[in-house]
Amino acid sequence: MKFSDIDFSAIGKMLDSMSDEEKEQINQYANNMMENMQQNIEPEPVEEEPDFFEQLHIKEEDYQDLPGLVLDQIEAACDLEYYYEDDDQADFSASVLFYAKAVLHLLRHYDFAIYKELLNPDGFANPNVTTLYSYLFPLTNEKNIHTLVDHGYGDTSGWLEIQMMIRQLYTLLNRAEYDTVSYDDLQALKSILFEQKGLLKIVECTETTED
């Protein structure tokens, strides 16, 4: 039956002739029918956006003890990359900026006191004004790396990996400021930070092996 074929006038007259009890039964029947129809309609599945641990293919338990701000900055970097996921020609500078923030916060949190005590570099009066270069430059001196290792902090290869990671990040950060960062550049940085466990290496190298 078409909608236009329904005689609403006849339906109205039929309802007028019914008792209140009959009208209530009709209403109850209609309500039951509508409820059954709604129950039979399957809700459309909602596609959940993967969290940043899934996006980065890393284990949450390996990173859960990092400062909350660091995790927030990593998540922001992932969100910005995810936003441009369908355009691999986009400029991914914003993601690099947040990864740089995450690494710098880690260095300030774990390395500042060690650098200040053992290496006494220039500009280490306040952790909040240190930059990535503040932590990179001392590691370009092999003597400083030996000093850190001799005091039980990490090993030579670990500090060289951290030096390489900060150098790569520092280069990309400068490129982000004056040029653009490609999709491939970002993937190479993520490989250093996560596949090669660069972020965790910062923590590992500040856990002293001395008794």
Side-chain angles (χ1 to χ4, degrees):
M1 177 185 292
K2 297 180 181 179
F3 184 79
S4 58
D5 294 334
I6 299 175
D7 188 345
F8 289 101
S9 176
I11 293 175
K13 291 178 180 179
M14 181 181 70
L15 290 173
D16 289 340
S17 66
M18 289 182 175
S19 65
D20 291 341
E21 183 179 357
E22 289 173 326
K23 289 179 181 179
E24 180 62 29
Q25 290 176 346
I26 289 291
N27 286 332
Q28 186 61 45
Y29 175 79
N31 288 334
N32 291 339
M33 184 173 66
M34 290 298 295
E35 289 178 2
N36 290 333
M37 289 178 61
Q38 291 176 350
Q39 291 174 359
N40 290 330
I41 297 176
E42 295 184 4
E44 294 185 6
V46 177
E47 184 177 347
E48 294 185 5
E49 182 179 326
D51 63 27
F52 69 91
F53 295 108
E54 294 179 85
Q55 288 178 292
L56 295 170
H57 307 292
I58 59 179
K59 296 179 180 179
E60 182 175 354
E61 56 267 27
D62 291 341
Y63 293 83
Q64 62 186 4
D65 292 331
L66 296 185
L69 179 58
V70 172
L71 297 178
D72 289 342
Q73 290 161 343
I74 294 173
E75 183 174 18
C78 282
D79 288 343
L80 287 164
E81 180 185 357
Y82 190 80
Y83 181 80
Y84 293 108
E85 67 171 344
D86 296 325
D87 182 11
D88 59 9
Q89 299 302 312
D91 179 8
F92 292 90
S93 295
S95 289
V96 168
L97 174 61
F98 277 99
Y99 282 129
K101 286 176 176 285
V103 170
L104 180 57
H105 189 79
L106 270 183
L107 291 168
R108 288 172 174 175
H109 185 84
Y110 290 101
D111 287 35
F112 176 83
I114 298 172
Y115 271 54
K116 185 176 182 180
E117 177 186 357
L118 300 180
L119 309 181
N120 194 29
D122 293 336
F124 266 67
N126 183 348
N128 294 327
V129 298
T130 55
T131 66
L132 286 176
Y133 191 75
S134 302
Y135 297 91
L136 172 61
F137 183 71
L139 295 182
T140 61
N141 187 331
E142 188 175 341
K143 180 180 177 182
N144 287 332
I145 293 178
H146 288 317
T147 297
L148 293 168
V149 175
D150 289 345
H151 282 79
Y153 293 103
D155 53 35
T156 301
S157 63
W159 286 108
L160 289 175
E161 287 177 31
I162 292 174
Q163 181 207 104
M164 183 272 292
M165 175 182 64
I166 301 175
R167 189 186 300 277
Q168 178 69 9
L169 189 51
Y170 183 73
T171 300
L172 286 180
L173 192 59
N174 281 302
R175 189 182 302 170
E177 185 176 0
Y178 299 107
D179 197 355
T180 60
V181 174
S182 71
Y183 176 81
D184 289 339
D185 290 332
L186 180 60
Q187 302 314 306
L189 175 62
K190 286 163 57 181
S191 176
I192 295 171
L193 295 177
F194 302 106
E195 289 182 27
Q196 300 175 35
K197 301 185 183 299
L199 282 175
L200 298 180
K201 184 67 69 175
I202 293 175
V203 181
E204 180 183 319
C205 280
T206 57
E207 294 175 343
T208 179
T209 58
E210 291 187 337
D211 293 333

